[in-house]
Amino acid sequence: MGKLFGTDGIRGIVGENLTAELAFRVGQAVTHVLFEEKGEKPLITIGMDTRISSDMLEGALIAGICSAGGDVMPLGTIPTPAVAYLTVQVEADAGVVISASHNPFEHNGIKVFNGQGYKLSDALEERVEAKILSDGEMATAKGADIGKRIHGMKKLKYEYIKYLAGTVEDDLGGLRILVDCANGAAAATAPDLFAHFALEADFIHRKPNGVNINDKCGSTHLKSLAAMVTAGEYDLGVAFDGDADRCLMVDEKGNVIDGDKIMAVCGKDMKDQGTLTGRTIVGTVMSNLGLHEFCNKNGIRLVCTPVGDRNVLEKMLEHGYRIGGEQSGHMIFTDYATTGDGQLTALQFLQILRRSGKKASELAGICPQYPQVLVNVTLPNEPGLKETVMADPGLLAACQREEEAMAGEGRVLVRASGTEPLIRVMVEAKTTEIAQSCAERLAELVKTIKI
């Protein structure tokens, strides 16, 4: 882990540890590294979500890129996966996303895709980071070598929308859905996307004002969506996060359809169609025991990676697997995308729902779900503290004792967040009560560890 780049780029609170000055240096550093790789002026796309700070950071990034001699194609407000897709389509050398995904509006982030639409390799991230953290000013271009901003690129979002619509053959007619745009990037694309189909789609939380992104809405706050789905008798509710790379759903009864259930439904359909490479789904260590049970019963192999869509994708590319994802709603379909895409996920699920003729609750019910409790313990935001906690022998022993006490009918997972100063304590068990009490005991233990 570098000093700046975490598991999903650079994250921080704007005005504190994420500033316009830092964004300027990121723009310069990315440009210099790309120039070293290419040997000539690089072309970089930029997309952003709806946070009030995104315009400021975009301006600083553009200034940094152009000052270092790179050209910029701003895509405007657009989902993260759209940046990955369009970077490839316009043959740019890199794509930059300004977003903090599901986090509150005070947070923001910067992550970079390479020219093939994948996140930068660790080696390139390290080179970029070394330049950002180096002393002194980076070299700037002069005269005709200064970079320029290419205008009119916001219309490219319609190319992305058209591409997504073409990933399903069904017109989705007869379905009624309610879509929660999280007051984020999906507000700029989801209405146009679903207008391509014969279904009836209504939208909520699609009026971003800069400070309401993810505010009691979207994939991390499903309560309002669930209530409106049941009250309005919709067939399905679909929720995106701030940058629309995640998708969670609620069925017609208001029950949550999480990433594990989405993978089960889509994976089984692919197996039935003969397209599930290696009969394998790629999940993470957070995947519910219910998904393990489902896969065992249906002749599907579940491969689990460390948490993070980057880890999931690496495993998929290594073995040619075609579907993978996280319980939190990051779904990757390598037939169509190089990264997680919430809107793509929604379309794939809707196509199966329409074809099956079943209710969403019946379709998602094929995958059982063990009660799961997640308790977050906040730490001071200081380097090395999370690693100290995770290495504590008392904590390791306690986790082993708790898991042994559940006699194979539950599990414990304690891990450090990759993007926030948190230790996450997750427990699955036969009952919510058992999981809750175990998680609380371990969380209290974490708080007592001397750091």
Tab-separated table of all heavy atoms in Angstrom, residues 369-400:
chain	number	residue	atom	x	y	z
A	369	GLN	N	-29.365	-17.162	2.374
A	369	GLN	CA	-28.520	-16.127	2.970
A	369	GLN	C	-28.452	-16.320	4.478
A	369	GLN	O	-29.477	-16.284	5.159
A	369	GLN	CB	-29.070	-14.732	2.631
A	369	GLN	CG	-28.150	-13.596	3.022
A	369	GLN	CD	-28.613	-12.268	2.435
A	369	GLN	OE1	-29.800	-11.965	2.457
A	369	GLN	NE2	-27.691	-11.491	1.914
A	370	TYR	N	-27.248	-16.539	4.974
A	370	TYR	CA	-27.056	-16.637	6.409
A	370	TYR	C	-27.107	-15.237	7.003
A	370	TYR	O	-26.613	-14.274	6.394
A	370	TYR	CB	-25.704	-17.260	6.719
A	370	TYR	CG	-25.636	-18.763	6.588
A	370	TYR	CD1	-25.954	-19.408	5.398
A	370	TYR	CD2	-25.243	-19.547	7.669
A	370	TYR	CE1	-25.884	-20.788	5.279
A	370	TYR	CE2	-25.159	-20.940	7.564
A	370	TYR	CZ	-25.491	-21.546	6.357
A	370	TYR	OH	-25.416	-22.913	6.252
A	371	PRO	N	-27.660	-15.095	8.224
A	371	PRO	CA	-27.622	-13.788	8.885
A	371	PRO	C	-26.191	-13.283	9.005
A	371	PRO	O	-25.292	-14.040	9.380
A	371	PRO	CB	-28.228	-14.081	10.263
A	371	PRO	CG	-29.112	-15.265	10.042
A	371	PRO	CD	-28.392	-16.099	9.016
A	372	GLN	N	-26.003	-12.039	8.679
A	372	GLN	CA	-24.662	-11.459	8.687
A	372	GLN	C	-24.696	-10.115	9.408
A	372	GLN	O	-25.582	-9.301	9.165
A	372	GLN	CB	-24.163	-11.264	7.253
A	372	GLN	CG	-22.738	-10.760	7.137
A	372	GLN	CD	-22.315	-10.541	5.692
A	372	GLN	OE1	-22.523	-9.482	5.124
A	372	GLN	NE2	-21.713	-11.565	5.093
A	373	VAL	N	-23.745	-9.909	10.279
A	373	VAL	CA	-23.639	-8.654	11.023
A	373	VAL	C	-22.271	-8.050	10.744
A	373	VAL	O	-21.244	-8.744	10.822
A	373	VAL	CB	-23.832	-8.876	12.532
A	373	VAL	CG1	-23.519	-7.593	13.309
A	373	VAL	CG2	-25.254	-9.334	12.827
A	374	LEU	N	-22.258	-6.766	10.432
A	374	LEU	CA	-21.010	-6.046	10.183
A	374	LEU	C	-20.908	-4.875	11.151
A	374	LEU	O	-21.803	-4.026	11.198
A	374	LEU	CB	-20.963	-5.539	8.743
A	374	LEU	CG	-19.726	-4.731	8.336
A	374	LEU	CD1	-18.483	-5.603	8.379
A	374	LEU	CD2	-19.906	-4.133	6.946
A	375	VAL	N	-19.851	-4.847	11.936
A	375	VAL	CA	-19.606	-3.748	12.870
A	375	VAL	C	-18.298	-3.068	12.473
A	375	VAL	O	-17.260	-3.732	12.327
A	375	VAL	CB	-19.511	-4.254	14.324
A	375	VAL	CG1	-19.195	-3.088	15.264
A	375	VAL	CG2	-20.808	-4.934	14.738
A	376	ASN	N	-18.348	-1.754	12.275
A	376	ASN	CA	-17.155	-0.977	11.921
A	376	ASN	C	-16.578	-0.300	13.160
A	376	ASN	O	-17.311	0.340	13.921
A	376	ASN	CB	-17.493	0.086	10.876
A	376	ASN	CG	-17.844	-0.514	9.541
A	376	ASN	OD1	-17.271	-1.511	9.125
A	376	ASN	ND2	-18.797	0.080	8.834
A	377	VAL	N	-15.293	-0.438	13.350
A	377	VAL	CA	-14.600	0.226	14.461
A	377	VAL	C	-13.699	1.304	13.872
A	377	VAL	O	-12.782	1.005	13.100
A	377	VAL	CB	-13.767	-0.772	15.280
A	377	VAL	CG1	-13.093	-0.054	16.453
A	377	VAL	CG2	-14.640	-1.917	15.778
A	378	THR	N	-13.951	2.550	14.237
A	378	THR	CA	-13.185	3.675	13.695
A	378	THR	C	-11.864	3.848	14.443
A	378	THR	O	-11.819	3.797	15.678
A	378	THR	CB	-13.999	4.980	13.795
A	378	THR	OG1	-15.235	4.813	13.093
A	378	THR	CG2	-13.237	6.139	13.175
A	379	LEU	N	-10.808	4.052	13.676
A	379	LEU	CA	-9.480	4.294	14.241
A	379	LEU	C	-9.023	5.710	13.898
A	379	LEU	O	-9.529	6.314	12.943
A	379	LEU	CB	-8.462	3.296	13.664
A	379	LEU	CG	-8.719	1.807	13.857
A	379	LEU	CD1	-7.609	1.016	13.168
A	379	LEU	CD2	-8.786	1.452	15.324
A	380	PRO	N	-8.057	6.244	14.618
A	380	PRO	CA	-7.440	7.513	14.186
A	380	PRO	C	-6.851	7.337	12.786
A	380	PRO	O	-6.322	6.275	12.457
A	380	PRO	CB	-6.344	7.744	15.231
A	380	PRO	CG	-6.800	6.972	16.434
A	380	PRO	CD	-7.499	5.767	15.897
A	381	ASN	N	-6.955	8.369	11.994
A	381	ASN	CA	-6.490	8.282	10.604
A	381	ASN	C	-4.986	8.529	10.543
A	381	ASN	O	-4.509	9.559	10.082
A	381	ASN	CB	-7.240	9.293	9.733
A	381	ASN	CG	-7.024	9.038	8.251
A	381	ASN	OD1	-6.495	8.000	7.862
A	381	ASN	ND2	-7.423	9.989	7.431
A	382	GLU	N	-4.228	7.536	11.031
A	382	GLU	CA	-2.772	7.649	11.080
A	382	GLU	C	-2.150	6.428	10.418
A	382	GLU	O	-2.670	5.313	10.536
A	382	GLU	CB	-2.288	7.762	12.532
A	382	GLU	CG	-2.816	9.008	13.251
A	382	GLU	CD	-2.394	9.045	14.709
A	382	GLU	OE1	-1.472	8.274	15.067
A	382	GLU	OE2	-2.975	9.825	15.478
A	383	PRO	N	-1.031	6.596	9.724
A	383	PRO	CA	-0.387	5.472	9.031
A	383	PRO	C	-0.012	4.341	9.990
A	383	PRO	O	0.472	4.585	11.093
A	383	PRO	CB	0.865	6.104	8.410
A	383	PRO	CG	0.571	7.571	8.341
A	383	PRO	CD	-0.303	7.873	9.513
A	384	GLY	N	-0.261	3.117	9.555
A	384	GLY	CA	0.199	1.952	10.292
A	384	GLY	C	-0.713	1.430	11.375
A	384	GLY	O	-0.508	0.316	11.876
A	385	LEU	N	-1.734	2.196	11.775
A	385	LEU	CA	-2.577	1.763	12.890
A	385	LEU	C	-3.406	0.534	12.536
A	385	LEU	O	-3.561	-0.383	13.343
A	385	LEU	CB	-3.493	2.901	13.342
A	385	LEU	CG	-2.804	4.100	14.005
A	385	LEU	CD1	-3.842	5.064	14.565
A	385	LEU	CD2	-1.878	3.629	15.113
A	386	LYS	N	-3.966	0.524	11.333
A	386	LYS	CA	-4.777	-0.628	10.931
A	386	LYS	C	-3.938	-1.899	10.907
A	386	LYS	O	-4.393	-2.972	11.336
A	386	LYS	CB	-5.414	-0.378	9.559
A	386	LYS	CG	-6.502	0.686	9.569
A	386	LYS	CD	-7.226	0.800	8.241
A	386	LYS	CE	-6.366	1.419	7.167
A	386	LYS	NZ	-7.138	1.711	5.936
A	387	GLU	N	-2.721	-1.789	10.423
A	387	GLU	CA	-1.838	-2.946	10.351
A	387	GLU	C	-1.487	-3.451	11.761
A	387	GLU	O	-1.398	-4.664	11.997
A	387	GLU	CB	-0.561	-2.599	9.587
A	387	GLU	CG	-0.770	-2.364	8.098
A	387	GLU	CD	-1.395	-1.023	7.764
A	387	GLU	OE1	-1.503	-0.175	8.680
A	387	GLU	OE2	-1.777	-0.813	6.601
A	388	THR	N	-1.301	-2.523	12.700
A	388	THR	CA	-0.995	-2.897	14.076
A	388	THR	C	-2.134	-3.688	14.697
A	388	THR	O	-1.924	-4.716	15.354
A	388	THR	CB	-0.710	-1.642	14.927
A	388	THR	OG1	0.418	-0.960	14.393
A	388	THR	CG2	-0.448	-2.011	16.377
A	389	VAL	N	-3.348	-3.205	14.490
A	389	VAL	CA	-4.523	-3.901	15.036
A	389	VAL	C	-4.649	-5.292	14.437
A	389	VAL	O	-4.868	-6.283	15.146
A	389	VAL	CB	-5.798	-3.085	14.779
A	389	VAL	CG1	-7.044	-3.899	15.133
A	389	VAL	CG2	-5.773	-1.792	15.572
A	390	MET	N	-4.517	-5.382	13.118
A	390	MET	CA	-4.721	-6.667	12.443
A	390	MET	C	-3.673	-7.710	12.844
A	390	MET	O	-3.913	-8.904	12.719
A	390	MET	CB	-4.706	-6.460	10.929
A	390	MET	CG	-5.929	-5.705	10.403
A	390	MET	SD	-7.490	-6.486	10.832
A	390	MET	CE	-7.306	-8.071	10.040
A	391	ALA	N	-2.516	-7.259	13.295
A	391	ALA	CA	-1.449	-8.195	13.667
A	391	ALA	C	-1.503	-8.585	15.150
A	391	ALA	O	-0.695	-9.394	15.605
A	391	ALA	CB	-0.085	-7.579	13.356
A	392	ASP	N	-2.455	-8.042	15.897
A	392	ASP	CA	-2.518	-8.299	17.332
A	392	ASP	C	-2.828	-9.776	17.594
A	392	ASP	O	-3.857	-10.297	17.142
A	392	ASP	CB	-3.603	-7.431	17.975
A	392	ASP	CG	-3.640	-7.601	19.476
A	392	ASP	OD1	-2.808	-6.997	20.157
A	392	ASP	OD2	-4.516	-8.360	19.961
A	393	PRO	N	-1.967	-10.491	18.330
A	393	PRO	CA	-2.178	-11.928	18.561
A	393	PRO	C	-3.438	-12.224	19.359
A	393	PRO	O	-4.081	-13.260	19.167
A	393	PRO	CB	-0.909	-12.354	19.314
A	393	PRO	CG	-0.325	-11.096	19.869
A	393	PRO	CD	-0.696	-10.016	18.916
A	394	GLY	N	-3.814	-11.329	20.264
A	394	GLY	CA	-5.036	-11.536	21.034
A	394	GLY	C	-6.270	-11.517	20.165
A	394	GLY	O	-7.214	-12.306	20.363
A	395	LEU	N	-6.282	-10.627	19.179
A	395	LEU	CA	-7.417	-10.559	18.260
A	395	LEU	C	-7.481	-11.811	17.399
A	395	LEU	O	-8.571	-12.377	17.173
A	395	LEU	CB	-7.297	-9.310	17.374
A	395	LEU	CG	-8.364	-9.132	16.303
A	395	LEU	CD1	-9.753	-9.027	16.919
A	395	LEU	CD2	-8.071	-7.889	15.445
A	396	LEU	N	-6.344	-12.255	16.914
A	396	LEU	CA	-6.312	-13.454	16.078
A	396	LEU	C	-6.817	-14.669	16.852
A	396	LEU	O	-7.592	-15.478	16.336
A	396	LEU	CB	-4.889	-13.699	15.580
A	396	LEU	CG	-4.284	-12.598	14.689
A	396	LEU	CD1	-2.823	-12.924	14.378
A	396	LEU	CD2	-5.072	-12.441	13.401
A	397	ALA	N	-6.418	-14.795	18.103
A	397	ALA	CA	-6.849	-15.919	18.923
A	397	ALA	C	-8.345	-15.848	19.210
A	397	ALA	O	-9.044	-16.871	19.204
A	397	ALA	CB	-6.052	-15.941	20.230
A	398	ALA	N	-8.840	-14.644	19.469
A	398	ALA	CA	-10.269	-14.480	19.755
A	398	ALA	C	-11.125	-14.855	18.547
A	398	ALA	O	-12.180	-15.489	18.689
A	398	ALA	CB	-10.549	-13.040	20.181
A	399	CYS	N	-10.678	-14.459	17.363
A	399	CYS	CA	-11.415	-14.816	16.146
A	399	CYS	C	-11.483	-16.333	15.979
A	399	CYS	O	-12.539	-16.884	15.622
A	399	CYS	CB	-10.749	-14.188	14.925
A	399	CYS	SG	-10.908	-12.392	14.832
A	400	GLN	N	-10.385	-16.998	16.247
A	400	GLN	CA	-10.353	-18.455	16.118
A	400	GLN	C	-11.294	-19.113	17.131
A	400	GLN	O	-12.034	-20.052	16.795
A	400	GLN	CB	-8.928	-18.967	16.321
A	400	GLN	CG	-8.791	-20.477	16.122
A	400	GLN	CD	-7.353	-20.950	16.212
A	400	GLN	OE1	-6.426	-20.139	16.206
A	400	GLN	NE2	-7.159	-22.241	16.288
